[in-house]
Amino acid sequence: MRNFVIVTDSCIDMTQEMVDSLGIKVAQLDIVIEGEGGSVANNEVDFKEVYRKLRDKKTISTSAVSIGRFTDIFDNILSEGENDILYLGFSSGLSSTYSSGKIALSDLQEKYPDRKLYAVDTLCASMGQGLLVYLACKVKESGATIEEVRDYVENNKLNLCHWFTVDDLFFLKRGGRVSAATAVLGTMLSIKPVLHVDNAGKLINVSKAKGRKASINAMFDKMKATMIPEKNSVVFISHGDCIEDAEYLANKIRTEIGIDHVEISYVGPVIGSHSGPGTLALFYLGTER
């Protein structure tokens, strides 16, 4: 059986240690920080410093991975040996990155007609995408073929639950997800939204909670109600520079549900620039999104 490489993009929001341990390749999205010149790759900035700048109301813009960058990454893998490629991309409902990766693979198929080059739109974001990639790697490690891993991802991606809350409604207002009036009133009354990524891979509002702790507990309650116990040996949490809240949620999961393996990482600058400091997100496999 020919070797295959799993490629993804930096919206997985995994730590570098996790990326290295899984042996995956990661295409970097770029960001531009207001007043600091040109674009820089997502992995070339200090995440904590980025969140400080966001709190100072600096504007950060983002850009998808280009077809050319994907082509370089894929071609390097293919030219190194008899490798196939499975690309697991950031939700097409949130970025054109997946489309770029798919086009690059399609273009390279002519150059490498005997290789298997597959692309899957995960319809996932942040460590939800990261968790799906992690699980795919574990299936690969069990000896599965590239088609079996691809099919596993396709069959499970709509069970990958994403629950988010944010602390500062300013960022949702700027992105057009809440009105200016809702942002002002919500801030005055300490109303926190509870959001999730739907089956189309888009971030949508689901409910509201009074206060930060209540919004975190609401995400935990969603997990208890919808999780599939036998499929959740590991749970992922990402945070926008609010590690204490992430640890609070992780401890509830460990003590009240009994899942010991909880991975915590930053929400990277690409997604964090849209959701803001204080973003907290929970990812697991459930009966439905």
PDB file of all heavy atoms in Angstrom, residues 8 41 98 124-125 128 130 133 141 166-167 170 217 231 233 237 240 262:
ATOM      1  N   THR A   8      -3.420  19.710   5.780  1.00  0.00           N
ATOM      2  CA  THR A   8      -4.530  20.559   6.226  1.00  0.00           C
ATOM      3  C   THR A   8      -4.046  22.008   6.201  1.00  0.00           C
ATOM      4  O   THR A   8      -3.053  22.325   5.554  1.00  0.00           O
ATOM      5  CB  THR A   8      -5.035  20.108   7.602  1.00  0.00           C
ATOM      6  OG1 THR A   8      -6.218  20.823   7.958  1.00  0.00           O
ATOM      7  CG2 THR A   8      -3.984  20.290   8.685  1.00  0.00           C
ATOM      8  N   ALA A  41       2.576  34.988   7.930  1.00  0.00           N
ATOM      9  CA  ALA A  41       1.910  33.703   8.088  1.00  0.00           C
ATOM     10  C   ALA A  41       1.388  33.546   9.509  1.00  0.00           C
ATOM     11  O   ALA A  41       1.974  34.062  10.479  1.00  0.00           O
ATOM     12  CB  ALA A  41       2.879  32.567   7.755  1.00  0.00           C
ATOM     13  N   TYR A  98     -10.399  26.042   1.154  1.00  0.00           N
ATOM     14  CA  TYR A  98     -10.649  24.681   0.667  1.00  0.00           C
ATOM     15  C   TYR A  98     -10.696  24.655  -0.860  1.00  0.00           C
ATOM     16  O   TYR A  98     -10.128  23.760  -1.503  1.00  0.00           O
ATOM     17  CB  TYR A  98     -11.947  24.116   1.240  1.00  0.00           C
ATOM     18  CG  TYR A  98     -12.383  22.857   0.528  1.00  0.00           C
ATOM     19  CD1 TYR A  98     -11.699  21.666   0.727  1.00  0.00           C
ATOM     20  CD2 TYR A  98     -13.442  22.876  -0.383  1.00  0.00           C
ATOM     21  CE1 TYR A  98     -12.063  20.512   0.040  1.00  0.00           C
ATOM     22  CE2 TYR A  98     -13.816  21.725  -1.064  1.00  0.00           C
ATOM     23  CZ  TYR A  98     -13.126  20.548  -0.849  1.00  0.00           C
ATOM     24  OH  TYR A  98     -13.494  19.416  -1.536  1.00  0.00           O
ATOM     25  N   CYS A 124     -15.596  22.333   8.971  1.00  0.00           N
ATOM     26  CA  CYS A 124     -15.200  22.546  10.369  1.00  0.00           C
ATOM     27  C   CYS A 124     -14.275  23.747  10.477  1.00  0.00           C
ATOM     28  O   CYS A 124     -13.704  24.212   9.485  1.00  0.00           O
ATOM     29  CB  CYS A 124     -14.484  21.315  10.927  1.00  0.00           C
ATOM     30  SG  CYS A 124     -15.508  19.843  11.095  1.00  0.00           S
ATOM     31  N   ALA A 125     -14.103  24.222  11.715  1.00  0.00           N
ATOM     32  CA  ALA A 125     -13.253  25.382  11.957  1.00  0.00           C
ATOM     33  C   ALA A 125     -12.520  25.231  13.281  1.00  0.00           C
ATOM     34  O   ALA A 125     -12.959  24.498  14.171  1.00  0.00           O
ATOM     35  CB  ALA A 125     -14.098  26.662  11.986  1.00  0.00           C
ATOM     36  N   GLY A 128     -12.193  22.319  15.951  1.00  0.00           N
ATOM     37  CA  GLY A 128     -13.142  21.351  15.421  1.00  0.00           C
ATOM     38  C   GLY A 128     -12.543  20.690  14.200  1.00  0.00           C
ATOM     39  O   GLY A 128     -12.550  19.460  14.055  1.00  0.00           O
ATOM     40  N   GLY A 130      -9.382  20.744  13.743  1.00  0.00           N
ATOM     41  CA  GLY A 130      -8.234  20.066  14.331  1.00  0.00           C
ATOM     42  C   GLY A 130      -8.579  18.693  14.874  1.00  0.00           C
ATOM     43  O   GLY A 130      -7.830  17.725  14.677  1.00  0.00           O
ATOM     44  N   VAL A 133      -9.108  16.249  12.023  1.00  0.00           N
ATOM     45  CA  VAL A 133      -7.809  15.864  11.470  1.00  0.00           C
ATOM     46  C   VAL A 133      -7.107  14.881  12.407  1.00  0.00           C
ATOM     47  O   VAL A 133      -6.534  13.872  11.966  1.00  0.00           O
ATOM     48  CB  VAL A 133      -6.934  17.107  11.217  1.00  0.00           C
ATOM     49  CG1 VAL A 133      -5.494  16.699  10.886  1.00  0.00           C
ATOM     50  CG2 VAL A 133      -7.514  17.952  10.090  1.00  0.00           C
ATOM     51  N   GLU A 141      -3.247   5.674  11.359  1.00  0.00           N
ATOM     52  CA  GLU A 141      -2.271   4.911  12.148  1.00  0.00           C
ATOM     53  C   GLU A 141      -2.711   3.466  12.367  1.00  0.00           C
ATOM     54  O   GLU A 141      -1.883   2.578  12.599  1.00  0.00           O
ATOM     55  CB  GLU A 141      -2.026   5.601  13.492  1.00  0.00           C
ATOM     56  CG  GLU A 141      -1.241   6.896  13.382  1.00  0.00           C
ATOM     57  CD  GLU A 141      -1.184   7.657  14.699  1.00  0.00           C
ATOM     58  OE1 GLU A 141      -1.616   7.088  15.736  1.00  0.00           O
ATOM     59  OE2 GLU A 141      -0.715   8.815  14.702  1.00  0.00           O
ATOM     60  N   VAL A 166     -18.383  34.112  23.010  1.00  0.00           N
ATOM     61  CA  VAL A 166     -17.426  35.221  22.917  1.00  0.00           C
ATOM     62  C   VAL A 166     -17.651  36.172  24.082  1.00  0.00           C
ATOM     63  O   VAL A 166     -18.722  36.191  24.690  1.00  0.00           O
ATOM     64  CB  VAL A 166     -17.540  35.981  21.578  1.00  0.00           C
ATOM     65  CG1 VAL A 166     -17.331  35.036  20.402  1.00  0.00           C
ATOM     66  CG2 VAL A 166     -18.885  36.681  21.459  1.00  0.00           C
ATOM     67  N   ASP A 167     -16.627  36.958  24.372  1.00  0.00           N
ATOM     68  CA  ASP A 167     -16.711  37.870  25.506  1.00  0.00           C
ATOM     69  C   ASP A 167     -16.998  39.298  25.084  1.00  0.00           C
ATOM     70  O   ASP A 167     -17.552  40.075  25.850  1.00  0.00           O
ATOM     71  CB  ASP A 167     -15.397  37.807  26.304  1.00  0.00           C
ATOM     72  CG  ASP A 167     -15.539  38.424  27.693  1.00  0.00           C
ATOM     73  OD1 ASP A 167     -16.564  38.166  28.347  1.00  0.00           O
ATOM     74  OD2 ASP A 167     -14.627  39.163  28.108  1.00  0.00           O
ATOM     75  N   PHE A 170     -18.261  43.361  20.217  1.00  0.00           N
ATOM     76  CA  PHE A 170     -17.744  44.283  19.200  1.00  0.00           C
ATOM     77  C   PHE A 170     -17.287  43.532  17.953  1.00  0.00           C
ATOM     78  O   PHE A 170     -17.516  43.974  16.829  1.00  0.00           O
ATOM     79  CB  PHE A 170     -16.586  45.103  19.780  1.00  0.00           C
ATOM     80  CG  PHE A 170     -15.740  45.799  18.751  1.00  0.00           C
ATOM     81  CD1 PHE A 170     -16.135  47.011  18.200  1.00  0.00           C
ATOM     82  CD2 PHE A 170     -14.541  45.234  18.316  1.00  0.00           C
ATOM     83  CE1 PHE A 170     -15.358  47.645  17.236  1.00  0.00           C
ATOM     84  CE2 PHE A 170     -13.757  45.862  17.362  1.00  0.00           C
ATOM     85  CZ  PHE A 170     -14.169  47.074  16.823  1.00  0.00           C
ATOM     86  N   ASN A 217     -21.191  27.334  30.880  1.00  0.00           N
ATOM     87  CA  ASN A 217     -21.974  26.199  31.362  1.00  0.00           C
ATOM     88  C   ASN A 217     -22.992  25.741  30.320  1.00  0.00           C
ATOM     89  O   ASN A 217     -23.303  24.539  30.229  1.00  0.00           O
ATOM     90  CB  ASN A 217     -22.686  26.566  32.660  1.00  0.00           C
ATOM     91  CG  ASN A 217     -21.724  26.715  33.829  1.00  0.00           C
ATOM     92  OD1 ASN A 217     -20.615  26.171  33.805  1.00  0.00           O
ATOM     93  ND2 ASN A 217     -22.129  27.444  34.843  1.00  0.00           N
ATOM     94  N   LYS A 231     -17.536   7.535  21.474  1.00  0.00           N
ATOM     95  CA  LYS A 231     -16.715   8.160  20.437  1.00  0.00           C
ATOM     96  C   LYS A 231     -15.870   9.317  20.970  1.00  0.00           C
ATOM     97  O   LYS A 231     -15.171   9.970  20.190  1.00  0.00           O
ATOM     98  CB  LYS A 231     -17.602   8.671  19.302  1.00  0.00           C
ATOM     99  CG  LYS A 231     -18.200   7.576  18.435  1.00  0.00           C
ATOM    100  CD  LYS A 231     -18.850   8.158  17.182  1.00  0.00           C
ATOM    101  CE  LYS A 231     -19.331   7.067  16.247  1.00  0.00           C
ATOM    102  NZ  LYS A 231     -19.892   7.632  14.988  1.00  0.00           N
ATOM    103  N   SER A 233     -13.116   9.787  23.364  1.00  0.00           N
ATOM    104  CA  SER A 233     -11.982   9.540  24.250  1.00  0.00           C
ATOM    105  C   SER A 233     -11.124  10.785  24.383  1.00  0.00           C
ATOM    106  O   SER A 233     -10.287  10.880  25.292  1.00  0.00           O
ATOM    107  CB  SER A 233     -11.141   8.378  23.721  1.00  0.00           C
ATOM    108  OG  SER A 233     -10.651   8.668  22.423  1.00  0.00           O
ATOM    109  N   ILE A 237     -10.541  21.902  23.190  1.00  0.00           N
ATOM    110  CA  ILE A 237     -11.012  23.231  23.583  1.00  0.00           C
ATOM    111  C   ILE A 237     -10.034  24.252  23.026  1.00  0.00           C
ATOM    112  O   ILE A 237      -8.813  24.082  23.142  1.00  0.00           O
ATOM    113  CB  ILE A 237     -11.085  23.380  25.118  1.00  0.00           C
ATOM    114  CG1 ILE A 237     -12.148  22.447  25.705  1.00  0.00           C
ATOM    115  CG2 ILE A 237     -11.374  24.837  25.518  1.00  0.00           C
ATOM    116  CD1 ILE A 237     -12.127  22.401  27.229  1.00  0.00           C
ATOM    117  N   GLY A 240      -9.439  32.199  23.134  1.00  0.00           N
ATOM    118  CA  GLY A 240      -8.863  33.457  22.680  1.00  0.00           C
ATOM    119  C   GLY A 240      -8.210  34.205  23.821  1.00  0.00           C
ATOM    120  O   GLY A 240      -8.717  35.234  24.278  1.00  0.00           O
ATOM    121  N   VAL A 262      -8.227  15.983  27.464  1.00  0.00           N
ATOM    122  CA  VAL A 262      -8.766  17.243  26.956  1.00  0.00           C
ATOM    123  C   VAL A 262      -7.596  18.088  26.467  1.00  0.00           C
ATOM    124  O   VAL A 262      -6.723  18.460  27.252  1.00  0.00           O
ATOM    125  CB  VAL A 262      -9.555  18.013  28.034  1.00  0.00           C
ATOM    126  CG1 VAL A 262     -10.129  19.302  27.448  1.00  0.00           C
ATOM    127  CG2 VAL A 262     -10.666  17.154  28.612  1.00  0.00           C
TER     128      VAL A 262
END
